[in-house]
């Protein structure tokens, strides 16, 4: 018997709450005891505003489960070992490689980079021992991407024909909306079948920031993703990392054929109603971005007979029952 709520169930709860469904009815639809639903909302809602969002709820749940586990991967001993090695000017790759050779426990070199940049944010000086002191480590796909060229891109011609039919959830499009003076950007991701929008702010359009924000925004949909299609901007140079992390097939539209991502182009136009062209993103807040995302997901669309994306998505959920709604 399943004890813990799954990601799918949390997503259903969030959607049904958006539609104004009573908690008792939600429990019935999920086949759960109503106390389970009440406890879930009490423990995993946003403590600041009382709102329930599936991705936040899942993170809170995961955090509690991790805290139950007393086994710490990055131990104090390992922290000291890594810190000392960095101070001798060894690179993260060299630290990891030497540890493997000596059969010593050690975190990955990417985790070491994260540790160093966290130390920098806290006014630490470990980063000064790295060769590239003033900039973050870039993953391999970023380095290989030359001007106007993305390494190992997969053309849209190889995308399954079913994606064009827009009859299943999980086929996505992705793009950036750039702020004034090319400072800051909004990453927009839409589902082709339902029009559902995921949107987040990034400080720059670097491939690394796009990768991290994409994985963050799509985390709640992780078990259900199928494909994602972008243009040929270098900001998507880390497509292989995104594909591997989210287990999603990444495709690129042909240059200068924006109609191949028409749904995303149209959705960006709707976003521009709230963040006008030429708007500075310098003081944009996460709450403001989230509010616009919520408005657009609850905005009637002619394409769906004036149903909202949330309503269209709910129909998919009800149609598939307890089966994962992104089939």
């Amino acid at each position: 018997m399943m004890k813990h709520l799954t990601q799918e169930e949390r997503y259903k709860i969030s959607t049904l709450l958006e539609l104004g469904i009573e908690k008792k009815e939600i429990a019935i639809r999920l086949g759960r005891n109503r106390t389970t639903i009440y406890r879930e909302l009490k423990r995993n809602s946003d403590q600041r505003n009382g709102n329930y969002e599936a991705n936040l709820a899942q993170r809170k749940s995961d955090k509690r489960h991790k805290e139950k586990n007393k086994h710490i991967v990055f131990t104090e001993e390992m922290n000291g070992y890594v810190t000392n090695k960095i101070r001798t000017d060894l690179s993260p790759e060299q630290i990891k490689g030497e540890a493997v050779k000596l059969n010593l426990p050690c975190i990955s070199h990417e985790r070491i980079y994260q540790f160093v940049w966290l130390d920098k944010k806290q006014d630490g000086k470990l980063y000064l021992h790295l060769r590239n002191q003033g900039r973050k480590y870039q993953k391999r796909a970023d380095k290989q991407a030359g001007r106007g060229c993305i390494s190992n891109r997969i053309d849209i011609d190889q995308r399954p024909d079913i994606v064009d039919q827009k009859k299943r959830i999980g086929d996505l499009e992705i793009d950036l909306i750039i702020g004034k003076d090319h400072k800051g950007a909004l990453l927009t991701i839409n589902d082709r079948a339902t029009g559902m929008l995921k949107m987040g702010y990034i400080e720059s359009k670097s491939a690394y920031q796009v990768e991290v924000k994409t994985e963050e925004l799509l985390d709640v949909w992780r078990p259900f993703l199928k494909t994602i299609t972008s243009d040929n901007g270098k900001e998507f140079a880390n497509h292989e990392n995104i594909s591997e992390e989210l287990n999603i097939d990444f495709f690129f539209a042909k240059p200068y054929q924006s109609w191949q991502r028409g749904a995303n182009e149209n959705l960006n136009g709707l976003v521009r109603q709230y963040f006008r062209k030429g708007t500075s993103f310098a003081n944009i807040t996460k709450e403001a971005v989230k509010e616009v995302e919520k408005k657009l997901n609850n905005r009637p669309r002619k394409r769906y007979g004036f149903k909202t994306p949330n309503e269209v998505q709910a129909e998919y959920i009800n149609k598939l029952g307890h089966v994962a709604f992104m089939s």
Side-chain angles (χ1 to χ4, degrees):
M1 180 178 179
M2 182 169 54
K3 296 181 180 180
H4 302 295
L5 287 169
T6 64
Q7 281 188 323
E8 301 98 300
E9 289 177 310
R10 288 191 168 96
Y11 199 85
K12 291 177 182 179
I13 291 172
S14 179
T15 301
L16 293 172
L17 286 172
E18 287 275 355
L19 295 173
I21 305 299
E22 294 291 334
K23 300 178 184 66
K24 293 179 181 180
E25 177 63 20
I26 293 175
I28 294 173
R29 295 194 184 191
L30 267 63
R32 291 282 192 169
N33 191 293
R34 65 180 182 180
T35 58
T36 300
I37 305 302
Y38 280 96
R39 182 170 59 248
E40 170 69 13
L41 296 177
K42 181 178 180 181
R43 299 175 72 184
N44 293 330
S45 292
D46 191 324
Q47 296 302 311
R48 296 168 299 179
N49 54 32
N51 293 337
Y52 181 85
E53 295 182 358
N55 55 350
L56 174 63
Q58 189 64 40
R59 288 199 301 272
K60 283 191 170 189
S61 177
D62 291 341
K63 184 175 183 293
R64 277 197 302 274
H65 290 309
K66 286 180 180 179
E67 289 174 348
K68 289 179 183 179
N69 187 353
K70 300 304 180 182
H71 175 66
I72 302 175
V73 177
F74 197 7
T75 63
E76 288 295 327
E77 182 179 2
M78 194 182 302
N79 183 304
Y81 173 81
V82 168
T83 299
N84 289 335
K85 291 296 182 180
I86 291 172
R87 286 173 176 162
T88 64
D89 299 331
L90 289 186
S91 71
E93 289 92 340
Q94 291 168 336
I95 295 171
K96 175 62 176 179
E98 184 180 59
V100 171
K101 183 179 70 174
L102 298 175
N103 199 28
L104 297 175
C106 187
I107 54 176
S108 70
H109 72 275
E110 291 187 353
R111 178 67 180 86
I112 295 175
Y113 274 111
Q114 293 171 1
F115 168 66
V116 171
W117 293 111
L118 177 60
D119 176 75
K120 182 182 179 182
K121 284 184 178 179
Q122 298 171 346
D123 297 324
K125 303 300 180 184
L126 290 179
Y127 76 98
L128 295 175
H129 294 276
L130 299 181
R131 183 177 61 183
N132 298 321
Q133 298 176 4
R135 63 186 184 201
K136 283 192 176 183
Y137 160 73
Q138 291 180 312
K139 294 190 176 183
R140 187 176 296 115
D142 236 0
K143 294 178 182 177
Q144 292 178 346
R147 183 178 297 274
C149 176
I150 296 179
S151 176
N152 299 324
R153 69 182 292 282
I154 302 176
D155 193 81
I156 195 171
D157 286 342
Q158 299 183 49
R159 195 175 69 177
D161 292 338
I162 191 175
V163 179
D164 293 325
Q165 299 174 20
K166 299 182 180 180
K167 291 184 178 180
R168 66 178 188 180
I169 303 182
D171 294 311
L172 314 178
E173 296 173 349
I174 185 170
D175 198 12
L176 288 182
I177 297 176
I178 308 300
K180 183 180 180 180
D181 299 325
H182 291 268
K183 294 180 180 179
L186 293 174
L187 181 68
T188 62
I189 306 173
N190 65 286
D191 182 81
R192 288 171 58 85
T194 66
M196 284 292 292
L197 167 68
K198 286 288 186 182
M199 181 166 63
Y201 171 75
I202 52 178
E203 293 181 353
S204 77
K205 60 176 186 177
S206 72
Y208 177 74
Q209 286 204 26
V210 169
E211 173 194 345
V212 172
K213 182 58 68 172
T214 300
E215 293 169 2
E216 175 190 322
L217 292 175
L218 295 182
D219 184 59
V220 69
W221 288 352
R222 184 184 294 268
F224 321 114
L225 303 175
K226 297 284 192 308
T227 69
I228 189 166
T229 304
S230 77
D231 63 19
N232 292 272
K234 286 179 63 177
E235 57 267 26
F236 299 114
N238 283 8
H239 64 98
E240 290 179 289
N241 294 334
I242 295 172
S243 180
E244 180 178 358
E245 174 62 26
L246 295 175
N247 192 26
I248 191 171
D249 294 326
F250 203 116
F251 299 95
F252 289 85
K254 294 185 182 300
Y256 311 111
Q257 296 190 28
S258 59
W259 58 267
Q260 293 181 333
R261 298 178 301 100
N264 189 267
E265 293 285 330
N266 292 335
L267 190 56
N268 285 350
L270 298 180
V271 173
R272 279 296 191 189
Q273 179 180 346
Y274 301 94
F275 301 108
R276 299 287 183 181
K277 194 164 186 175
T279 299
S280 171
F281 290 168
N283 298 314
I284 199 169
T285 65
K286 181 178 180 180
E287 290 73 22
V289 173
K290 204 67 180 175
E291 181 63 23
V292 171
E293 176 189 294
K294 183 177 180 180
K295 284 183 178 180
L296 293 180
N297 284 337
N298 285 286
R299 181 172 177 163
R301 305 285 176 82
K302 182 177 180 180
R303 168 188 166 192
Y304 304 120
F306 296 101
K307 295 176 184 176
T308 69
N310 265 326
E311 290 173 329
V312 176
Q313 178 181 273
E315 289 180 356
Y316 274 91
I317 295 174
N318 291 334
K319 187 184 300 182
L320 297 174
H322 294 295
V323 180
F325 71 92
M326 292 186 180
S327 59

